Amino acid sequence: MKMWIVLLLLLIHSETVLCYSDGNVVVACEDMTPQHGYDPKTTDPPFIITADKSQFSPGDEVKVTLAMGFSEGKKYFKGFLIEARNAGNLNEIVGSFKLISSDLSQLLTCNNKRDSAVSHTSGKHKTEVQVIWVAPPDSPSSVQFLVTVAQGMHDYWVKIPGPLVSQNGAAPPPQTTFGGSIQSETTTSSTLSRSFTADGCGIEKSCLRDPEGCEPQNDAACHFLSFRAESNSVMFELSGPAEGYVSFALSLDKWMGNDDVYLCIRDSDRVDIKAAYVVGRTHPQISSQNVLKDRAWRLSDGVIQCSFRRDVHQPPEDLNRFSLDQMYYLFMAHGRADDGRTHRHDRQPLISASQTDMTGSPKEIGGSRSPLLMKFHGALMLIAWTSTVTAGVIMARYFKPDWPEQNILGQKVWFQLHRMLMSLTVLLTLVAFVLPFIYRGGWSKRAGIHPYLGCVVMALTLIQPVMALFRPAPDAARRYIFNWMHFGTGTAAQIVAVVTIFLGIHQQALFLPSPWATGLLAFTVIWFVLADLVLEVHRRGFLPVGKYFKNVKIYSEHINSEDKEEVVFVPDESETLSNESRFKNVVLAVYLCGNLGCLCVFLWTIIAV
């Protein structure tokens, strides 16, 4: 019985997998997209679609041919889907088909219209297929043939625009080319004669730039977006260095998803300019509607530039295009592309600081590549683990003897300062740790090992105060064990935190300028190590500083106090003790000034990102 159940499940699964190779693609009738689980190709398709008539009358038959064109790759196709639609409303299927070769093609019922589409009967290789379209009595004035063709699971093209045919006496709409977006005009994208400039930004056109104030004509690293309203349309200019594509999107919020997207994709020695839309954090889906006019592009020294015009209002049936008479956040991104297919952007998109009126008065638009929550995350972690914790460590290690009899609220001065700095470190770390989860709405899957190390730092940070609550008395036998555990846990937390920060400053959400940001962080770490080393050598009496360190005696004794030490360095003269304390204060002051300077540079950089 179990064996028969397994065989039945295998048969059902097999039918699900193989059904599309038999051409039963009714599920794809509406959007003409095969359920392959991969994105369609956006390069020009290597197929030729022709019709034996350009005009027809109701009841006429039109022969439609799908054939292989010039291709450097595969010389065949496996699957296809052919439909005829109203050229004025591409969502409406028109007419019916007849078969010429039933061994290659079969009829489908789409949208409850019998024989309204034609598909393949098997996955065998084909170089040409022909079908007959029959014009219905209520045919619209013009009909557009659309074809989806598949060469394999990964290689397929959706809604390739075929020829337009019009009723006798009806004025045909603009003819379309084969390949590219649906209803793309016969006038292909032109080549820009010169680079874009920032002239007129804030006066004649609105501009979003990164770095702020950069000039796209002279600065190869400049990412530039400009737009200006002209009558019932908006003219866009987009420029930036990228391996594969530059893009921008209109969004209702500062989070990727349900956005109106426009891409300029490099394809060998030309640029494809496309409209798309994004549903959630997914790959952009290329629009099947023609929405772009006056397209032009330019390639120079790795910089992609393109311009196009778009009407302010779009047809009601195109729900994925936003009306341009509203206010939106602007996203600007770039990344790699292979064979016309875009990959995830290389850096965090540049996001405008506020919503912008697309048809409003021209202005300079400010933006940032780092969300505010992530800026606070980075700033708090830097303050905690490059400043407060290092000052607390130095205070505990080297300033115990300086205030032996002075108390604050019943505790030694050094201990109160140390506890205050370490408590501040725990508080800053806890707040900073929570912020990325609030921003992402959960765990980040694209941050590599950084969030895992962050969890380790957070755990060690919380262990320290818990451990301190159970600190034995100074004269207890277990105090020695506590001291080493406290020291080991704190040192491990500090090391892991520094490594985590090194990785964090190169995360997409907070990508600080490289390589100097890495160098500055390395200098901050070395600065602390040098200060710690100088104070340690000085404490052990190995640092000659003139006459103040001539007579130093080392005593090993038991001190019945909270800051018990096994070895105590006791100077012979009170003046020596005073000067030693003064020397340590100078070292601490120099260290804090240098540390504060590095921290200010980091915080300024985070604000500017």
Side-chain angles (χ1 to χ4, degrees):
M1 177 62 70
K2 292 182 179 180
M3 182 184 68
W4 284 109
I5 292 175
V6 171
L7 289 175
L8 179 60
L9 291 175
L10 288 174
L11 288 173
I12 294 174
H13 181 68
S14 176
E15 181 180 356
T16 303
V17 172
L18 300 176
C19 63
Y20 296 126
S21 65
D22 295 335
N24 188 13
V25 291
V26 175
V27 67
C29 281
E30 186 171 350
D31 60 5
M32 300 187 71
T33 302
Q35 307 300 310
H36 286 184
Y38 300 94
D39 293 321
K41 297 181 73 67
T42 57
T43 54
D44 289 337
F47 311 107
I48 299 173
I49 310 166
T50 59
D52 65 347
K53 294 180 181 179
S54 60
Q55 292 187 322
F56 68 91
S57 297
D60 283 357
E61 295 184 351
V62 178
K63 181 188 292 185
V64 180
T65 302
L66 167 65
M68 281 298 304
F70 174 76
S71 174
E72 295 181 352
K74 298 175 181 178
K75 306 297 183 182
Y76 60 85
F77 58 92
K78 294 182 178 180
F80 64 89
L81 177 63
I82 303 176
E83 295 182 9
R85 299 198 179 190
N86 183 349
N89 178 12
L90 289 175
N91 293 319
E92 179 187 349
I93 297 177
V94 177
S96 61
F97 287 91
K98 293 181 179 180
L99 301 181
I100 294 179
S101 178
S102 58
D103 60 331
L104 294 178
S105 56
Q106 63 178 321
L107 299 172
L108 301 178
T109 298
C110 291
N111 292 359
N112 297 320
K113 295 182 178 181
R114 187 174 180 180
D115 303 338
S116 56
V118 183
S119 69
H120 54 283
T121 58
S122 69
K124 69 179 183 180
H125 296 182
K126 310 168 187 65
T127 58
E128 181 181 281
V129 65
Q130 292 183 328
V131 297
I132 300 293
W133 177 72
V134 181
D138 58 347
S139 177
S141 59
S142 296
V143 173
Q144 171 86 68
F145 293 104
L146 303 180
V147 182
T148 290
V149 187
Q151 290 183 320
M153 289 290 291
H154 298 78
D155 301 325
Y156 66 94
W157 291 257
V158 174
K159 284 187 177 179
I160 304 171
L164 277 167
V165 292
S166 302
Q167 288 202 50
N168 292 317
Q175 184 64 34
T176 62
T177 59
F178 303 147
S181 301
I182 299 300
Q183 288 187 315
S184 56
E185 300 175 2
T186 51
T187 54
T188 58
S189 301
S190 60
T191 304
L192 292 167
S193 59
R194 58 185 179 86
S195 175
F196 299 141
T197 71
D199 295 343
C201 283
I203 302 174
E204 299 175 353
K205 57 187 179 182
S206 297
C207 297
L208 176 62
R209 295 184 266 181
D210 181 38
E212 185 176 352
C214 66
E215 171 57 66
Q217 187 175 20
N218 303 322
D219 186 358
C222 181
H223 292 271
F224 176 81
L225 170 66
S226 74
F227 54 92
R228 63 179 182 272
E230 297 180 355
S231 184
N232 294 322
S233 64
V234 176
M235 188 69 185
F236 293 93
E237 295 176 335
L238 181 62
S239 173
E243 295 182 21
Y245 71 93
V246 292
S247 65
F248 74 91
L250 310 178
S251 181
L252 297 173
D253 52 35
K254 288 190 173 184
W255 190 254
M256 178 181 175
N258 302 321
D259 301 329
D260 186 359
V261 181
Y262 301 88
L263 305 105
C264 301
I265 307 171
R266 181 171 183 171
D267 185 8
S268 185
D269 58 350
R270 64 186 302 272
V271 175
D272 289 331
I273 306 172
K274 300 180 180 296
Y277 59 94
V278 174
V279 179
R281 298 179 66 84
T282 60
H283 192 276
Q285 302 179 42
I286 303 301
S287 173
S288 61
Q289 300 288 336
N290 173 38
V291 297
L292 309 181
K293 305 175 182 177
D294 300 335
R295 295 172 297 170
W297 56 270
R298 183 174 185 269
L299 287 173
S300 177
D301 298 328
V303 176
I304 301 174
Q305 295 190 331
C306 64
S307 65
F308 58 86
R309 187 187 309 277
R310 214 212 83 178
D311 291 338
V312 173
H313 300 285
Q314 292 302 308
E317 62 270 14
D318 192 353
L319 302 178
N320 299 307
R321 300 277 77 76
F322 292 170
S323 177
L324 297 182
D325 58 356
Q326 305 293 326
M327 298 185 68
Y328 303 103
Y329 288 102
L330 296 173
F331 287 49
M332 189 159 58
H334 64 281
R336 297 176 296 107
D338 295 321
D339 296 327
R341 186 179 186 275
T342 59
H343 295 270
R344 183 173 181 260
H345 38 76
D346 295 332
R347 291 186 59 189
Q348 185 82 359
L350 178 68
I351 305 175
S352 61
S354 60
Q355 290 185 322
T356 301
D357 187 353
M358 306 302 295
T359 55
S361 302
K363 63 179 181 178
E364 287 276 8
I365 305 170
S368 172
R369 290 190 181 273
S370 181
L372 186 60
L373 288 178
M374 299 307 296
K375 288 186 176 183
F376 275 112
H377 168 75
L380 294 178
M381 283 298 189
L382 280 168
I383 294 172
W385 292 98
T386 64
S387 293
T388 61
V389 75
T390 57
V393 167
I394 288 176
M395 195 64 62
R397 288 181 183 173
Y398 307 111
F399 285 84
K400 290 181 183 180
D402 287 21
W403 307 289
E405 303 300 332
Q406 300 178 28
N407 293 339
I408 298 179
L409 299 177
Q411 298 287 348
K412 300 295 184 182
V413 172
W414 73 265
F415 179 74
Q416 291 288 45
L417 292 175
H418 171 73
R419 182 163 62 179
M420 179 190 69
L421 291 169
M422 290 307 180
S423 298
L424 181 58
T425 298
V426 173
L427 178 61
L428 293 175
T429 303
L430 180 62
V431 174
F433 179 79
V434 173
L435 293 180
F437 291 93
I438 297 176
Y439 168 68
R440 291 289 182 185
W443 186 267
S444 175
K445 298 179 180 179
R446 299 181 180 273
I449 197 176
H450 177 75
Y452 297 96
L453 292 178
C455 290
V456 174
V457 172
M458 189 70 254
L460 294 175
T461 303
L462 294 177
I463 288 174
Q464 284 289 76
V466 173
M467 188 185 304
L469 292 176
F470 299 95
R471 180 182 55 175
D475 55 350
R478 293 181 292 110
R479 184 58 179 256
Y480 179 79
I481 299 175
F482 166 80
N483 288 341
W484 275 107
M485 290 184 63
H486 192 64
F487 168 78
T489 304
T491 302
Q494 195 173 1
I495 293 173
V496 177
V498 169
V499 173
T500 306
I501 292 174
F502 268 105
L503 297 175
I505 62 176
H506 298 300
Q507 291 291 319
Q508 278 202 357
L510 188 64
F511 191 88
L512 300 187
S514 183
W516 78 265
T518 303
L520 181 60
L521 182 57
F523 174 80
T524 304
V525 175
I526 294 173
W527 186 246
F528 165 70
V529 172
L530 287 176
D532 184 75
L533 182 62
V534 169
L535 291 171
E536 181 67 26
V537 171
H538 163 259
R539 185 176 71 169
R540 295 185 179 276
F542 301 139
L543 184 64
V545 189
K547 63 180 181 180
Y548 304 121
F549 300 95
K550 289 181 179 178
N551 301 312
V552 177
K553 295 182 180 180
I554 301 177
Y555 294 92
S556 178
E557 64 181 25
H558 179 79
I559 300 177
N560 187 18
S561 65
E562 191 173 347
D563 52 329
K564 171 189 174 184
E565 291 288 350
E566 295 293 333
V567 179
V568 180
F569 298 87
V570 182
D572 284 347
E573 303 174 0
S574 59
E575 183 181 3
T576 302
L577 179 61
S578 174
N579 284 293
E580 285 181 351
S581 179
R582 188 178 299 115
F583 174 76
K584 289 192 295 183
N585 290 337
V586 170
V587 173
L588 178 62
V590 171
Y591 166 73
L592 291 178
C593 289
N595 180 270
L596 182 61
C598 293
L599 181 62
C600 289
V601 174
F602 265 122
L603 296 180
W604 175 83
T605 303
I606 290 174
I607 293 172
V609 170

